[in-house]
Short mmCIF file of all heavy atoms in Angstrom, two decimals:
data_model
loop_
_atom_site.label_atom_id
_atom_site.label_comp_id
_atom_site.label_asym_id
_atom_site.label_seq_id
_atom_site.Cartn_x
_atom_site.Cartn_y
_atom_site.Cartn_z
N SER V 296 20.07 11.41 2.38
CA SER V 296 21.02 11.54 3.36
C SER V 296 21.12 10.32 4.25
O SER V 296 22.11 10.01 4.87
CB SER V 296 20.92 12.77 4.22
OG SER V 296 19.85 12.61 5.14
N ILE V 297 20.02 9.52 4.34
CA ILE V 297 20.03 8.35 5.16
C ILE V 297 20.19 7.01 4.32
O ILE V 297 20.21 5.90 4.91
CB ILE V 297 18.71 8.21 5.97
CG1 ILE V 297 17.43 7.98 5.03
CG2 ILE V 297 18.44 9.53 6.78
CD1 ILE V 297 16.25 7.50 5.85
N ARG V 298 20.26 7.19 3.03
CA ARG V 298 20.38 5.97 2.18
C ARG V 298 21.44 4.99 2.42
O ARG V 298 21.33 3.82 2.54
CB ARG V 298 20.43 6.41 0.65
CG ARG V 298 20.28 5.40 -0.31
CD ARG V 298 20.50 5.85 -1.73
NE ARG V 298 19.56 6.78 -2.18
CZ ARG V 298 18.54 6.41 -2.88
NH1 ARG V 298 18.29 5.15 -3.18
NH2 ARG V 298 17.64 7.37 -3.27
N ALA V 299 22.72 5.67 2.89
CA ALA V 299 23.87 4.96 3.11
C ALA V 299 23.85 4.12 4.32
O ALA V 299 24.64 3.06 4.53
CB ALA V 299 25.14 5.68 2.97
N CYS V 300 23.08 4.50 5.24
CA CYS V 300 23.08 3.92 6.55
C CYS V 300 21.76 2.99 6.87
O CYS V 300 21.62 2.67 8.07
CB CYS V 300 23.43 4.82 7.68
SG CYS V 300 22.27 6.09 7.93
N THR V 301 20.89 2.91 5.88
CA THR V 301 19.76 2.19 6.21
C THR V 301 20.03 0.66 5.86
O THR V 301 21.01 0.40 5.22
CB THR V 301 18.56 2.56 5.25
OG1 THR V 301 19.08 2.60 3.83
CG2 THR V 301 18.12 3.89 5.59
N PRO V 302 19.19 -0.38 6.30
CA PRO V 302 19.51 -1.75 6.09
C PRO V 302 19.57 -1.88 4.57
O PRO V 302 18.93 -1.34 3.83
CB PRO V 302 18.31 -2.40 6.64
CG PRO V 302 17.89 -1.51 7.75
CD PRO V 302 17.96 -0.23 7.19
N PRO V 303 20.54 -2.94 4.09
CA PRO V 303 20.62 -3.15 2.74
C PRO V 303 19.41 -3.72 2.12
O PRO V 303 18.80 -4.80 2.70
CB PRO V 303 21.79 -4.14 2.63
CG PRO V 303 21.86 -4.83 3.97
CD PRO V 303 21.38 -3.66 4.91
N ALA V 304 18.75 -3.07 1.11
CA ALA V 304 17.63 -3.64 0.44
C ALA V 304 17.99 -4.89 -0.40
O ALA V 304 19.05 -5.11 -0.82
CB ALA V 304 17.10 -2.65 -0.47
N PHE V 305 17.12 -5.81 -0.45
CA PHE V 305 17.24 -7.12 -1.08
C PHE V 305 18.45 -7.89 -0.59
O PHE V 305 19.14 -8.47 -1.40
CB PHE V 305 17.30 -6.74 -2.61
CG PHE V 305 16.23 -5.99 -3.13
CD1 PHE V 305 16.51 -4.58 -3.72
CD2 PHE V 305 14.93 -6.34 -3.29
CE1 PHE V 305 15.60 -3.85 -4.08
CE2 PHE V 305 13.94 -5.64 -3.81
CZ PHE V 305 14.30 -4.32 -4.13
N ALA V 306 18.61 -7.80 0.78
CA ALA V 306 19.71 -8.55 1.35
C ALA V 306 19.42 -9.94 1.40
O ALA V 306 18.25 -10.40 1.26
CB ALA V 306 20.03 -7.97 2.62
N GLU V 307 20.42 -10.79 1.54
CA GLU V 307 20.21 -12.33 1.68
C GLU V 307 19.30 -12.63 2.81
O GLU V 307 18.59 -13.52 2.78
CB GLU V 307 21.51 -13.02 1.68
CG GLU V 307 22.25 -12.94 0.41
CD GLU V 307 23.63 -13.74 0.52
OE1 GLU V 307 23.76 -14.47 1.48
OE2 GLU V 307 24.34 -13.65 -0.52
N ALA V 308 19.49 -11.83 3.93
CA ALA V 308 18.74 -12.10 5.15
C ALA V 308 17.98 -10.77 5.44
O ALA V 308 18.55 -9.74 5.63
CB ALA V 308 19.70 -12.52 6.33
N ASP V 309 16.58 -10.90 5.62
CA ASP V 309 15.80 -9.83 6.02
C ASP V 309 16.07 -9.70 7.57
O ASP V 309 16.63 -10.43 8.28
CB ASP V 309 14.34 -10.04 5.82
CG ASP V 309 14.05 -10.24 4.38
OD1 ASP V 309 14.70 -9.68 3.44
OD2 ASP V 309 13.09 -10.96 4.03
N GLY V 310 15.51 -8.53 8.10
CA GLY V 310 15.60 -8.30 9.58
C GLY V 310 14.65 -9.20 10.25
O GLY V 310 13.72 -9.79 9.77
N THR V 311 14.84 -9.43 11.59
CA THR V 311 14.11 -10.32 12.43
C THR V 311 13.50 -9.57 13.59
O THR V 311 14.29 -8.92 14.24
CB THR V 311 14.91 -11.57 12.93
OG1 THR V 311 15.40 -12.27 11.80
CG2 THR V 311 13.97 -12.48 13.73
N PHE V 312 12.14 -9.59 13.81
CA PHE V 312 11.60 -8.93 14.94
C PHE V 312 11.91 -9.76 16.24
O PHE V 312 12.22 -10.92 16.18
CB PHE V 312 10.11 -9.01 14.77
CG PHE V 312 9.44 -7.97 13.82
CD1 PHE V 312 8.83 -8.55 12.68
CD2 PHE V 312 9.76 -6.67 13.99
CE1 PHE V 312 8.09 -7.64 11.78
CE2 PHE V 312 9.14 -5.82 13.09
CZ PHE V 312 8.46 -6.33 11.97
N ASN V 313 11.92 -8.96 17.39
CA ASN V 313 12.05 -9.65 18.58
C ASN V 313 10.51 -10.08 18.97
O ASN V 313 9.69 -9.85 18.24
CB ASN V 313 12.70 -8.67 19.66
CG ASN V 313 11.86 -7.42 20.05
OD1 ASN V 313 10.86 -7.23 19.37
ND2 ASN V 313 12.42 -6.71 21.02
N ALA V 314 10.47 -10.68 20.17
CA ALA V 314 9.20 -11.24 20.58
C ALA V 314 8.05 -10.26 20.62
O ALA V 314 6.91 -10.46 20.32
CB ALA V 314 9.26 -11.94 21.94
N GLY V 315 8.34 -8.97 21.10
CA GLY V 315 7.27 -7.94 21.02
C GLY V 315 7.13 -7.13 19.94
O GLY V 315 6.39 -6.11 19.83
N ARG V 316 8.02 -7.31 18.91
CA ARG V 316 8.09 -6.54 17.75
C ARG V 316 8.42 -5.09 18.10
O ARG V 316 7.82 -4.12 17.47
CB ARG V 316 6.91 -6.66 16.92
CG ARG V 316 6.49 -7.96 16.41
CD ARG V 316 5.56 -7.84 15.18
NE ARG V 316 5.04 -9.10 14.67
CZ ARG V 316 3.81 -9.55 15.03
NH1 ARG V 316 2.90 -8.75 15.64
NH2 ARG V 316 3.31 -10.77 14.72
N THR V 317 9.19 -4.75 19.14
CA THR V 317 9.75 -3.59 19.48
C THR V 317 10.94 -3.31 18.75
O THR V 317 11.46 -2.05 18.75
CB THR V 317 9.75 -3.39 20.97
OG1 THR V 317 10.77 -4.32 21.43
CG2 THR V 317 8.52 -3.28 21.65
N GLU V 318 11.62 -4.35 18.41
CA GLU V 318 12.88 -4.15 17.54
C GLU V 318 12.90 -5.14 16.50
O GLU V 318 12.35 -6.17 16.48
CB GLU V 318 14.18 -4.31 18.52
CG GLU V 318 14.35 -3.46 19.65
CD GLU V 318 15.62 -3.63 20.45
OE1 GLU V 318 16.15 -4.78 20.27
OE2 GLU V 318 16.01 -2.79 21.20
N CYS V 319 13.75 -4.84 15.46
CA CYS V 319 14.19 -5.64 14.29
C CYS V 319 15.59 -5.50 14.10
O CYS V 319 16.16 -4.36 13.91
CB CYS V 319 13.26 -5.27 13.13
SG CYS V 319 13.92 -5.96 11.57
N SER V 320 16.25 -6.74 14.11
CA SER V 320 17.72 -6.67 13.88
C SER V 320 18.04 -7.47 12.64
O SER V 320 17.47 -8.40 12.21
CB SER V 320 18.33 -7.53 15.07
OG SER V 320 17.99 -6.87 16.34
N TYR V 321 19.11 -6.94 12.05
CA TYR V 321 19.76 -7.55 10.87
C TYR V 321 21.11 -7.96 11.16
O TYR V 321 21.89 -7.61 11.90
CB TYR V 321 19.95 -6.27 9.70
CG TYR V 321 18.69 -5.90 9.04
CD1 TYR V 321 17.72 -5.17 9.67
CD2 TYR V 321 18.43 -6.31 7.80
CE1 TYR V 321 16.58 -4.76 8.88
CE2 TYR V 321 17.33 -5.92 7.03
CZ TYR V 321 16.35 -5.13 7.58
OH TYR V 321 15.28 -4.79 7.00
N GLU V 322 21.44 -8.89 10.36
CA GLU V 322 22.89 -9.53 10.38
C GLU V 322 23.97 -8.42 10.06
O GLU V 322 25.09 -8.58 10.48
CB GLU V 322 23.14 -10.83 9.47
CG GLU V 322 22.25 -11.94 9.98
CD GLU V 322 22.43 -13.11 8.95
OE1 GLU V 322 23.24 -12.97 7.95
OE2 GLU V 322 21.79 -14.15 9.14
N SER V 323 23.56 -7.50 9.32
CA SER V 323 24.57 -6.32 9.01
C SER V 323 24.80 -5.55 10.15
O SER V 323 25.76 -4.55 10.03
CB SER V 323 23.92 -5.55 7.82
OG SER V 323 22.63 -4.92 8.31
N GLY V 324 24.17 -5.63 11.24
CA GLY V 324 24.35 -4.66 12.35
C GLY V 324 23.36 -3.64 12.36
O GLY V 324 23.41 -2.84 13.42
N HIS V 325 22.45 -3.46 11.42
CA HIS V 325 21.41 -2.43 11.55
C HIS V 325 20.30 -2.88 12.54
O HIS V 325 20.05 -4.16 12.74
CB HIS V 325 20.71 -2.35 10.08
CG HIS V 325 21.66 -1.70 9.18
ND1 HIS V 325 22.53 -2.43 8.48
CD2 HIS V 325 21.77 -0.35 8.81
CE1 HIS V 325 23.10 -1.63 7.66
NE2 HIS V 325 22.71 -0.37 7.79
N LYS V 326 19.68 -1.98 13.22
CA LYS V 326 18.50 -2.31 14.04
C LYS V 326 17.54 -1.18 13.92
O LYS V 326 17.85 -0.02 13.80
CB LYS V 326 19.07 -2.26 15.48
CG LYS V 326 18.04 -2.65 16.63
CD LYS V 326 18.41 -2.66 17.97
CE LYS V 326 19.34 -3.95 18.15
NZ LYS V 326 19.73 -4.18 19.64
N ILE V 327 16.31 -1.64 13.88
CA ILE V 327 15.05 -0.79 13.83
C ILE V 327 14.42 -0.84 15.22
O ILE V 327 14.06 -1.98 15.67
CB ILE V 327 14.16 -1.20 12.67
CG1 ILE V 327 14.81 -1.49 11.45
CG2 ILE V 327 13.09 -0.01 12.51
CD1 ILE V 327 15.63 -0.44 10.84
N THR V 328 14.20 0.26 15.87
CA THR V 328 13.53 0.29 17.22
C THR V 328 12.28 0.99 16.96
O THR V 328 12.20 2.07 16.49
CB THR V 328 14.40 1.02 18.21
OG1 THR V 328 15.67 0.29 18.33
CG2 THR V 328 13.72 1.02 19.49
N PHE V 329 11.00 0.38 17.40
CA PHE V 329 9.84 0.94 17.22
C PHE V 329 9.35 1.43 18.56
O PHE V 329 9.48 0.69 19.52
CB PHE V 329 8.83 -0.13 16.73
CG PHE V 329 9.19 -0.80 15.45
CD1 PHE V 329 10.01 -1.80 15.34
CD2 PHE V 329 8.89 -0.13 14.20
CE1 PHE V 329 10.31 -2.38 14.07
CE2 PHE V 329 9.14 -0.60 12.97
CZ PHE V 329 9.95 -1.78 12.92
N LYS V 330 8.79 2.68 18.66
CA LYS V 330 8.53 3.24 19.92
C LYS V 330 7.36 2.52 20.57
O LYS V 330 7.39 2.27 21.84
CB LYS V 330 7.97 4.73 19.68
CG LYS V 330 7.54 5.39 21.05
CD LYS V 330 7.01 6.81 20.72
CE LYS V 330 6.70 7.48 22.07
NZ LYS V 330 6.11 8.92 21.72
N ASP V 331 6.49 1.97 19.77
CA ASP V 331 5.55 1.00 20.25
C ASP V 331 5.55 -0.37 19.45
O ASP V 331 5.78 -0.20 18.31
CB ASP V 331 3.99 1.63 20.08
CG ASP V 331 3.96 2.88 20.86
OD1 ASP V 331 4.26 2.94 22.12
OD2 ASP V 331 3.59 3.86 20.19
N GLY V 332 5.36 -1.46 20.12
CA GLY V 332 5.52 -2.58 19.29
C GLY V 332 4.54 -2.70 18.20
O GLY V 332 3.31 -2.30 18.30
N LEU V 333 4.84 -3.21 17.04
CA LEU V 333 3.97 -3.34 15.93
C LEU V 333 2.87 -4.24 16.20
O LEU V 333 3.08 -5.42 16.60
CB LEU V 333 4.80 -3.62 14.75
CG LEU V 333 5.70 -2.49 14.22
CD1 LEU V 333 6.38 -3.06 12.73
CD2 LEU V 333 5.03 -1.21 13.98
N GLN V 334 1.66 -3.90 15.79
CA GLN V 334 0.56 -4.86 15.88
C GLN V 334 0.25 -5.20 14.24
O GLN V 334 -0.03 -4.40 13.57
CB GLN V 334 -0.73 -4.24 16.40
CG GLN V 334 -0.50 -3.82 17.86
CD GLN V 334 -0.16 -5.07 18.88
OE1 GLN V 334 -0.89 -6.03 18.77
NE2 GLN V 334 0.76 -4.85 19.75
N LEU V 335 0.54 -6.44 14.00
CA LEU V 335 0.43 -6.91 12.63
C LEU V 335 -0.76 -7.83 12.36
O LEU V 335 -1.11 -8.49 13.21
CB LEU V 335 1.72 -7.62 12.08
CG LEU V 335 2.85 -6.75 12.17
CD1 LEU V 335 4.15 -7.58 11.66
CD2 LEU V 335 2.83 -5.53 11.31
N PRO V 336 -1.37 -7.70 11.19
CA PRO V 336 -1.16 -6.66 10.16
C PRO V 336 -1.80 -5.25 10.66
O PRO V 336 -2.62 -5.27 11.35
CB PRO V 336 -1.97 -7.21 8.96
CG PRO V 336 -3.18 -7.98 9.54
CD PRO V 336 -2.54 -8.50 10.75
N MET V 337 -1.14 -4.23 10.06
CA MET V 337 -1.63 -2.84 10.42
C MET V 337 -2.98 -2.53 9.78
O MET V 337 -3.29 -3.18 8.78
CB MET V 337 -0.58 -1.93 9.96
CG MET V 337 0.79 -2.00 10.88
SD MET V 337 1.99 -0.74 10.36
CE MET V 337 1.16 0.68 10.92
N GLY V 338 -3.72 -1.62 10.37
CA GLY V 338 -4.95 -1.19 9.75
C GLY V 338 -4.71 -0.21 8.69
O GLY V 338 -3.59 -0.05 8.03
N GLU V 339 -5.81 0.49 8.23
CA GLU V 339 -5.79 1.30 7.06
C GLU V 339 -4.96 2.48 7.26
O GLU V 339 -4.22 3.02 6.35
CB GLU V 339 -7.28 1.83 6.80
CG GLU V 339 -7.31 2.70 5.68
CD GLU V 339 -8.71 3.32 5.29
OE1 GLU V 339 -9.64 2.72 6.19
OE2 GLU V 339 -8.92 4.24 4.48
N PHE V 340 -4.85 3.07 8.56
CA PHE V 340 -4.12 4.26 8.79
C PHE V 340 -2.68 4.02 9.29
O PHE V 340 -2.52 3.13 10.26
CB PHE V 340 -4.90 5.19 9.68
CG PHE V 340 -6.16 5.50 9.14
CD1 PHE V 340 -7.41 4.97 9.63
CD2 PHE V 340 -6.38 6.37 8.10
CE1 PHE V 340 -8.61 5.34 9.05
CE2 PHE V 340 -7.48 6.75 7.57
CZ PHE V 340 -8.76 6.14 8.08
N SER V 341 -1.73 4.69 8.84
CA SER V 341 -0.38 4.45 9.38
C SER V 341 -0.12 5.10 10.52
O SER V 341 -0.61 6.30 10.90
CB SER V 341 0.56 5.11 8.24
OG SER V 341 0.49 4.32 7.04
N ASN V 342 0.71 4.61 11.44
CA ASN V 342 1.18 5.16 12.62
C ASN V 342 2.59 4.65 13.12
O ASN V 342 2.73 3.73 13.79
CB ASN V 342 0.23 4.96 13.81
CG ASN V 342 0.57 5.70 15.10
OD1 ASN V 342 1.41 6.56 15.17
ND2 ASN V 342 -0.23 5.45 16.11
N TRP V 343 3.55 5.20 12.37
CA TRP V 343 5.01 4.65 12.50
C TRP V 343 5.68 5.69 13.45
O TRP V 343 5.61 6.86 13.31
CB TRP V 343 5.71 4.65 11.22
CG TRP V 343 5.04 3.88 10.13
CD1 TRP V 343 4.39 4.27 9.02
CD2 TRP V 343 5.15 2.47 9.97
NE1 TRP V 343 3.97 3.25 8.28
CE2 TRP V 343 4.51 2.12 8.80
CE3 TRP V 343 5.72 1.50 10.85
CZ2 TRP V 343 4.37 0.88 8.42
CZ3 TRP V 343 5.72 0.17 10.14
CH2 TRP V 343 5.04 -0.15 9.11
N ASP V 344 6.54 5.17 14.35
CA ASP V 344 7.55 5.87 15.06
C ASP V 344 8.71 5.01 15.37
O ASP V 344 8.71 4.19 16.08
CB ASP V 344 7.00 6.43 16.41
CG ASP V 344 7.85 7.50 17.10
OD1 ASP V 344 9.04 7.45 16.92
OD2 ASP V 344 7.20 8.17 17.88
N LEU V 345 9.81 5.23 14.38
CA LEU V 345 10.90 4.22 14.42
C LEU V 345 12.19 4.97 14.43
O LEU V 345 12.20 6.06 13.72
CB LEU V 345 10.72 3.21 13.43
CG LEU V 345 10.66 3.75 11.88
CD1 LEU V 345 12.09 3.64 11.32
CD2 LEU V 345 9.73 2.91 11.14
N THR V 346 13.27 4.34 14.90
CA THR V 346 14.57 4.86 14.79
C THR V 346 15.41 3.80 14.22
O THR V 346 15.30 2.53 14.59
CB THR V 346 15.07 5.12 16.28
OG1 THR V 346 14.27 6.18 16.83
CG2 THR V 346 16.58 5.68 16.17
N ILE V 347 16.32 4.13 13.23
CA ILE V 347 17.20 3.23 12.70
C ILE V 347 18.66 3.54 13.21
O ILE V 347 19.12 4.59 13.25
CB ILE V 347 17.20 3.31 11.17
CG1 ILE V 347 15.84 3.15 10.67
CG2 ILE V 347 18.30 2.53 10.55
CD1 ILE V 347 15.69 3.55 9.14
N THR V 348 19.28 2.47 13.66
CA THR V 348 20.70 2.46 14.03
C THR V 348 21.59 1.57 13.14
O THR V 348 21.04 0.53 12.71
CB THR V 348 20.91 2.20 15.52
OG1 THR V 348 20.52 0.89 15.72
CG2 THR V 348 20.23 3.08 16.33
N SER V 349 22.84 2.02 12.81
CA SER V 349 23.77 1.32 12.17
C SER V 349 25.00 1.18 12.77
O SER V 349 25.63 2.24 13.08
CB SER V 349 23.99 1.93 10.73
OG SER V 349 24.87 1.19 9.87
#
Side-chain angles (χ1 to χ4, degrees):
S296 75
I297 70 170
R298 188 186 292 267
C300 62
T301 53
F305 308 111
E307 291 185 6
D309 299 333
T311 302
F312 288 120
N313 64 0
R316 298 198 191 107
T317 57
E318 291 184 351
C319 167
S320 299
Y321 282 76
E322 292 181 359
S323 60
H325 292 85
K326 181 177 288 186
I327 318 298
T328 303
F329 302 93
K330 183 179 179 181
D331 301 305
L333 292 185
Q334 301 295 318
L335 297 179
M337 293 178 69
E339 178 181 356
F340 301 104
S341 295
N342 188 5
W343 302 102
D344 190 336
L345 61 94
T346 300
I347 301 173
T348 58
S349 176

